[in-house]
Amino acid sequence: MRLRISFRESILLAGVSAACLAVVAVAPSMRAQNRMSFSPLSSTSGHAALGLALRKLSVSGTFLQAPAHPDDETNALFAYFGYGLGLRVIDVQNNRGDGGQNEIGPELFRNMAVLRTSELLSAHRIDGAEQYFTRAIDYGYSFDPEEVIGKWGRKDIVGDYVRLWRTLRPDVIVTMNIQGRGGDRAHEATTVLVRESFRAAGDPAMYPEQIAEGLRPWQPKKLYFAGAAPGAAGQAGGGRGGRGGGRAGGRGGNQAGIVPPPAPATVQAPVAAVARLTPVNTGAYDALLGRTYADIANDARASHKCQGVGGGGGGFGGGRGGPAPAAGAAPAAGAPPAVGTTPPAPAPTEAGAAPPARGGGGGAPGGGRGGGYSLIDTTIAGEMQKQEASLLDGIDTSLMGIAQYAGSNPPRALTDALAAILTQAKVAQKAFAEGNDAGTAAPVEAGLTAIRALTAKLGAMGLDDSARYEIEFRLHTKERDYEDAVLAAHDMTFDAVADDGLVIAGQSVQLRLQATNHGATDIGVAGVDIAGFDSPGKCAPGTAKKDAAYTCNAQGHIPADAKLTTPYFNDNYWKHPENQAIQIFEPGVPFGVPFAPTPFRVTFHLKAGDVEVSRELAVENRYVKDIYFGDKRMELNVVPAFSVRITPTLAVIPVSAGAAAKPIEREVDVTVTNGMKTDAAKTVSKATVTLDLPAGWKATPASAQITFSHEDEALSARFLVTTPVQAKIGNYTLRAVVTSPETGDRKFTNGYLEIEYPHIQRRQVIEPAEIAMKVVDVKTVPRINVGYINGVGDQVPPAIEQLGAKLTYIEQNELAWGDLSRYDVIMTGVRAYERRGDLRAYNRRLLDYVERGGTVIVQYNKMEFNREDYGPYPAKVSANRITDETAPVKILVANDPVFNFPNKIGPAAWTDWVQERGLYFLGDKDKKYIDLVAMTDPFKDNPGEKLGSLVEAKYGKGKWLYLGLGLWRQLPAGTVGAYQLLANLIALPKAPAAPAH
């Protein structure tokens, strides 16, 4: 059994409890049954947390990675540089994965961005990294990096990187690689833009508007590519930085001899005669944590569940980590310090000289499946010509290194003060190494006092403005580190919990604030600041006694003008793909953060020993949504007093041009969730629901009354909407409106969409309660009965119902022994063969159904389809795709009913598609399969005509079809041609017989 203990912030526990060990010792026969692997633990308390906090005290530096998409990061690098060496570690993603596929639910586009952002935060709760983003939108797979850069806007995204470098001031940046061909070239586009930004960030003439805002130029010291440098002899692929191991770098393919595009004038373009790779030993074992950094990465990477990731360390060029020292061997270069000691500066060694791994993840010595990192640009003289032992070679990341920003001859007062701080850090680390956790408190407190004193004296040291800024920037970072260490030395933990998580403007909440002391001495609580609430209660000063807690119960009110909680990033792209693929960030939110910081926060002010320290944290709500997954936490989310959701969100009304005009009816459901509190004095809340309709449309009833008996109750009203007799083809909008006597003349027209899974914190998106009504020229056939075998979750079933067909979900029992002959058509959902074990087990039943005259349509699957021959004849899914949504479609069998009944599929049916034509086409296949269409991408790196996107096979009396065309993406977007094609597909059993192919 694998037991995971999830807390708000996480590191890795070094072992199991003595009680567990005792049980194992008494009952050795039970060992295999009771073996447990503890993973996350609170990073704010305990022995391991103290050890990690102390590692930060004697160093100063920032490691940053700049991948393309969520899951391209190398979690092992963050764990190694952050936990192992004590540096600040940051993940700057180019985009949020908006255009990706979803293997766990229905989220697409912006909602997919919310989900993948949340998964990154879950990963970083384990690997310890901070998270930021540029404004780029992942608009889909591309074979052309220049197309990608053009869609993003080169100047804008380079500017975003420059802004982030100037804000975060990293020392080392690791990005992806120049693939040269193949793969998703957004990786290469990201690499190109990061490279251009590297020197631009240090040039005050570049993006001067940022300088005018108060940012300072900043020149990072090193830029690395994952894997071998482009053009280097012996280069073994880049792709996503080599995450694919033996597959030549994953999607990227082999890059040998590929020359990168010209670098901007400010960037030196190195010519690498040989592959000179810098190793990172992420397979090293950390005795404090009881695991390797690769192990930590495996757990972190498993957070990317919507991408089907189940662990493996991964990330570009670092994955599982290279070999770690064998038991008893000397540490390799850059290995973590012994428990409680000062992290050493990495010493030079021969690349790859480390002995076999102890608990490592295998792979090359360069730090994982990618085999190391290539130095591409640096400000350090002579560094390009060296065989480096560490990414930090030539960079002073010691605490004393802060003095370098004062020039070659720093003031004596500065160096003496830094030396005094360092002395206190070493004293604390020595006490920890000797097992005296309590003895770390006094030196850490003294170090914090010294940092504050030094910061106050900088103005008197004769430093120029730039030097003072750089030194002060780093001292503020170290002050936070020392404050954290003080609290860890006193083993203090904090909690701020509200009695409600979904709150409305004006409501009251009860807060329970707690500071718990597991340390050796009493801690004074000077006060608690409560922010974000109107007229919050006061917390009296007190004491958190040893092995006890200071507690404050207070009431707060959500402000009457509180903003609804929704992501601060939006776009004008997905509905208008002709626009730039860039997000719109809400003003006032720190640039590039995952989500806007919650306004509901508390700050504890304490007197710990001889120093005053503070700890700020978000107010959260604890709840149990699913008893199987147990307790969860969420930040307070502001919701409307009446949240309004309407279904369907897209209504397609097929009308046949030239047919007799008649009104068409559609059912519309409006669900209202009551956010109003009830009590003894007010036992019900009442609301009225109406529809705001286009001119000439009618709704029955005209309005609906709803009465709620308690908070969070959701009730629905159903309307029958009737179009005019002569509804014109076009787009219309229908809006739900809710009013209530309790809220005056306010109209509620928005609702919240919840995005929540067990592995992420709950998020919500505020959406208008609107239906996009599309009156389209689509002919339909009546009385079609469709059986649908759901896959990972898609929005094809509602589209089938919009076409007037009766849809029934086929579950396991029916699939096993039910009467399938009652269906005209059976369709499998997206990647159903991956997710439905019952489908794989009873697939023979589908083939029997076809043989007896049925029609089966299989939507795209990935490689899991290749485990067995699930089709009527041998066939394998390939990685073939067409990424240009405008690529011409060649119809190969013009007389097939798919293109003729009931709709004539001509060139117009292939217009206005979004993102792509399709993916995961059938590749090698029996000759009995007939290709119905062929397409060719315009990109040179996706050459040749592609077959397999729409394939038909006769089997017995019926038909079996494979559908790699992306109807699952087109239908929610309202693409008319996709509805015409779907109408024809489900009407195949009713179609007139066509001549034999």
Side-chain angles (χ1 to χ4, degrees):
M1 181 178 72
R2 185 170 178 83
L3 176 63
R4 293 179 181 274
I5 305 173
S6 297
F7 289 83
R8 189 162 22 95
E9 297 178 15
S10 309
I11 63 168
L12 305 184
L13 183 60
V16 297
S17 69
C20 290
L21 292 175
V23 170
V24 172
V26 171
S29 63
M30 297 176 61
R31 184 175 300 160
Q33 296 173 344
N34 288 341
R35 184 182 302 135
M36 298 181 183
S37 174
F38 289 84
S39 188
L41 176 73
S42 172
S43 68
T44 58
S45 68
H47 178 78
L50 174 59
L52 292 181
L54 295 178
R55 285 181 181 177
K56 292 181 174 291
L57 304 189
S58 53
V59 296
S60 176
T62 299
F63 169 82
L64 186 146
Q65 195 173 30
H69 313 91
D71 95 340
D72 288 332
E73 73 280 359
T74 310
N75 309 96
L77 288 180
F78 298 136
Y80 174 83
F81 285 107
Y83 295 146
L85 300 185
L87 302 181
R88 184 183 185 189
V89 288
I90 302 173
D91 178 9
V92 172
Q93 295 277 347
N94 172 271
N95 61 69
R96 299 172 187 260
D98 327 45
Q101 303 160 52
N102 189 349
E103 299 202 15
I104 62 174
E107 291 82 9
L108 293 174
F109 308 126
R110 185 195 185 201
N111 295 341
M112 171 65 84
V114 174
L115 173 55
R116 291 196 174 179
T117 298
S118 301
E119 289 187 334
L120 277 168
L121 294 182
S122 294
H124 295 328
R125 280 196 291 272
I126 296 173
D127 66 31
E130 302 173 39
Q131 183 65 64
Y132 294 87
F133 297 88
T134 77
R135 291 173 293 164
I137 288 176
D138 172 17
Y139 67 89
Y141 200 96
S142 176
F143 288 94
D144 184 352
E146 286 305 317
E147 181 211 34
V148 177
I149 292 172
K151 290 288 286 185
W152 289 340
R154 184 181 228 107
K155 180 180 178 181
D156 288 319
I157 303 306
V158 170
D160 287 357
Y161 281 124
V162 168
R163 177 180 294 278
L164 289 166
W165 305 164
R166 288 170 173 175
T167 300
L168 302 171
R169 311 186 93 69
D171 297 292
V172 175
I173 298 174
V174 170
T175 189
M176 304 194 76
N177 210 316
I178 302 297
Q179 295 159 234
R181 61 187 177 88
D184 183 355
R185 302 297 290 281
H187 303 144
E188 182 170 323
T190 296
T191 303
V192 169
L193 300 184
V194 169
R195 184 174 178 179
E196 292 178 9
S197 69
F198 179 77
R199 293 280 180 173
D203 184 353
M206 298 293 289
Y207 300 94
E209 69 279 5
Q210 297 179 7
I211 306 301
E213 294 171 14
L215 290 178
R216 304 283 186 108
W218 173 247
Q219 180 56 64
K221 299 175 180 67
K222 286 184 175 182
L223 173 66
Y224 287 91
F225 282 4
Q235 183 181 15
R240 305 175 83 163
R243 198 174 64 196
R247 293 183 293 114
R251 298 189 200 176
N254 191 294
Q255 302 172 58
I258 300 299
V259 179
T266 57
V267 179
Q268 175 189 0
V271 178
V274 296
R276 185 182 289 121
L277 297 177
T278 303
V280 180
N281 188 12
T282 55
Y285 178 80
D286 190 319
L288 176 63
L289 303 179
R291 306 190 77 193
T292 69
Y293 304 114
D295 293 334
I296 299 171
N298 288 344
D299 284 346
R301 182 166 170 72
S303 298
H304 294 294
K305 297 187 187 304
C306 77
Q307 301 188 64
V309 176
F316 60 83
R320 295 179 173 178
V339 178
T341 62
T342 304
T349 63
E350 286 186 34
R358 173 194 175 194
R369 289 178 264 179
Y373 303 87
S374 297
L375 183 62
I376 295 299
D377 199 1
T378 181
T379 61
I380 303 172
E383 198 68 21
M384 294 292 298
Q385 290 71 45
K386 294 180 180 178
Q387 173 59 65
E388 296 185 309
S390 165
L391 301 184
L392 301 178
D393 280 4
I395 300 175
D396 188 351
T397 59
S398 69
L399 184 68
M400 294 299 299
I402 293 177
Q404 67 187 288
Y405 298 101
S408 58
N409 187 26
R412 178 68 177 272
L414 174 62
T415 56
D416 286 351
L418 290 172
I421 297 166
L422 181 59
T423 296
Q424 298 297 340
K426 291 180 177 179
V427 171
Q429 291 165 353
K430 182 174 184 293
F432 183 85
E434 293 171 349
N436 183 12
D437 286 13
T440 64
V444 173
E445 292 163 12
L448 176 58
T449 300
I451 284 178
R452 289 170 174 171
L454 173 56
T455 303
K457 294 176 182 176
L458 288 178
M461 291 185 182
L463 300 168
D464 64 37
D465 180 64
S466 177
R468 180 174 177 181
Y469 178 86
E470 299 297 345
I471 294 169
E472 201 166 51
F473 178 88
R474 285 153 185 82
L475 288 178
H476 282 315
T477 299
K478 299 321 296 178
E479 182 178 7
R480 291 193 297 271
D481 289 342
Y482 271 75
E483 285 191 350
D484 290 342
V486 167
L487 295 173
H490 289 281
D491 210 350
M492 293 291 300
T493 59
F494 303 87
D495 208 3
V497 178
D499 66 346
D500 197 358
L502 300 181
V503 297
I504 65 172
Q507 90 165 63
S508 64
V509 293
Q510 295 296 323
L511 306 176
R512 180 177 175 83
L513 315 178
Q514 186 167 296
T516 304
N517 180 4
H518 295 296
T521 61
D522 294 350
I523 299 295
V525 180
V528 183
D529 295 335
I530 303 174
F533 301 91
D534 281 346
S535 305
K538 302 293 184 182
C539 291
T543 301
K545 294 185 177 296
K546 180 180 181 299
D547 292 326
Y550 163 91
T551 302
C552 171
N553 294 313
Q555 186 181 61
H557 289 81
I558 307 300
D561 59 351
K563 292 175 59 176
L564 299 179
T565 303
T566 197
Y568 77 98
F569 50 90
N570 214 320
D571 69 86
N572 192 28
Y573 176 75
W574 289 114
K575 291 184 178 180
H576 305 282
E578 68 278 6
N579 291 340
Q580 184 181 359
I582 194 168
Q583 288 176 337
I584 302 167
F585 283 0
E586 182 181 312
V589 178
F591 188 90
V593 296
F595 298 101
T598 175
F600 307 111
R601 315 185 72 84
V602 300
T603 304
F604 290 86
H605 300 285
L606 301 97
K607 183 70 177 293
D610 296 328
V611 295
E612 295 178 354
V613 292
S614 299
R615 171 56 56 88
E616 183 187 54
L617 63 158
V619 176
E620 296 180 317
N621 173 248
R622 295 178 60 181
Y623 65 102
V624 176
K625 183 171 184 178
D626 187 325
I627 193 169
Y628 180 79
F629 296 107
D631 182 270
K632 288 192 70 176
R633 287 175 176 248
M634 60 177 285
E635 295 177 351
L636 304 195
N637 280 217
V638 181
V639 299
F642 295 99
S643 176
V644 189
R645 302 282 298 165
I646 191 167
T647 55
T649 55
L650 172 67
V652 172
I653 301 174
V655 296
S656 178
K662 60 180 180 179
I664 297 176
E665 296 178 337
R666 279 286 183 268
E667 285 186 345
V668 170
D669 291 326
V670 179
T671 300
V672 184
T673 302
N674 176 37
M676 305 285 288
K677 285 188 175 293
T678 57
D679 51 35
K682 183 177 72 104
T683 57
V684 297
S685 297
K686 295 184 178 181
T688 301
V689 185
T690 58
L691 297 181
D692 185 1
L693 298 164
W697 295 46
K698 295 191 305 181
T700 306
S703 65
Q705 306 298 315
I706 295 179
T707 301
F708 297 98
S709 60
H710 59 83
E711 182 188 10
D712 296 330
E713 184 178 12
L715 298 175
S716 296
R718 174 164 291 180
F719 297 86
L720 191 65
V721 174
T722 306
T723 69
V725 173
Q726 295 181 332
K728 294 183 178 180
I729 292 174
N731 298 326
Y732 303 85
T733 300
L734 182 154
R735 182 178 295 103
V737 180
V738 172
T739 57
S740 171
E742 300 175 51
T743 55
D745 58 359
R746 290 185 60 190
K747 293 183 178 181
F748 297 91
T749 58
N750 295 319
Y752 59 84
L753 171 68
E754 184 179 83
I755 299 176
E756 182 175 18
Y757 294 91
H759 64 299
I760 64 169
Q761 185 181 141
R762 178 196 180 278
R763 302 289 172 184
Q764 69 180 33
V765 178
I766 300 296
E767 297 181 334
E770 295 178 350
I771 297 179
M773 310 286 290
K774 296 180 73 75
V775 179
V776 297
D777 182 11
V778 177
K779 301 179 181 69
T780 60
V781 174
R783 296 179 296 280
I784 293 178
N785 194 5
V786 178
Y788 199 86
I789 302 174
N790 223 354
V792 298
D794 58 64
Q795 298 179 51
V796 175
I800 293 173
E801 293 176 315
Q802 293 289 319
L803 295 173
K806 179 184 178 182
L807 184 132
T808 304
Y809 288 99
I810 299 177
E811 302 300 340
Q812 179 173 332
N813 286 347
E814 185 177 9
L815 189 56
W817 55 68
D819 180 14
L820 301 182
S821 66
R822 68 192 184 98
Y823 299 111
D824 297 303
V825 176
I826 295 176
M827 180 178 283
T828 67
V830 168
R831 296 193 300 281
Y833 282 89
E834 172 188 344
R835 289 308 171 95
R836 293 287 294 268
D838 58 333
L839 173 59
R840 297 192 298 270
Y842 299 117
N843 183 72
R844 181 70 248 175
R845 292 257 298 150
L846 287 189
L847 297 181
D848 291 344
Y849 162 80
V850 175
E851 193 171 24
R852 290 192 291 267
T855 300
V856 165
I857 302 169
V858 175
Q859 294 188 79
Y860 94 87
N861 285 269
K862 296 170 80 171
M863 302 311 162
E864 66 277 354
F865 187 81
N866 297 340
R867 297 174 186 170
E868 305 288 345
D869 286 330
Y870 293 117
Y873 312 108
K876 299 296 183 185
V877 169
S878 73
N880 286 342
R881 61 173 71 204
I882 294 293
T883 63
D884 186 345
E885 67 273 21
T886 67
V889 178
K890 183 195 301 183
I891 294 177
L892 301 178
V893 187
N895 63 352
D896 194 282
V898 168
F899 307 117
N900 293 282
F901 181 81
N903 298 280
K904 183 70 175 176
I905 302 297
W910 307 106
T911 61
D912 298 324
W913 282 49
V914 299
Q915 188 164 334
E916 61 196 355
R917 287 293 190 200
L919 70 173
Y920 295 106
F921 300 163
L922 279 190
D924 294 336
K925 56 187 182 293
D926 191 281
K927 292 182 179 179
K928 295 185 181 69
Y929 291 102
I930 304 299
D931 282 290
L932 301 183
V933 300
M935 296 174 285
T936 302
D937 239 348
F939 306 120
K940 64 180 181 180
D941 286 335
N942 190 25
E945 188 174 70
K946 298 294 186 293
L947 302 172
S949 62
L950 181 55
V951 176
E952 181 181 83
K954 297 287 182 64
Y955 185 63
K957 298 179 180 179
K959 291 183 178 181
W960 186 97
L961 292 95
Y962 183 86
L963 184 64
L965 292 170
L967 297 193
W968 61 278
R969 197 181 287 279
Q970 306 306 320
L971 296 168
T975 305
V976 175
Y979 278 90
Q980 293 173 336
L981 185 58
L982 179 64
N984 287 14
L985 287 167
I986 64 176
L988 281 173
K990 309 285 188 180
H997 294 155

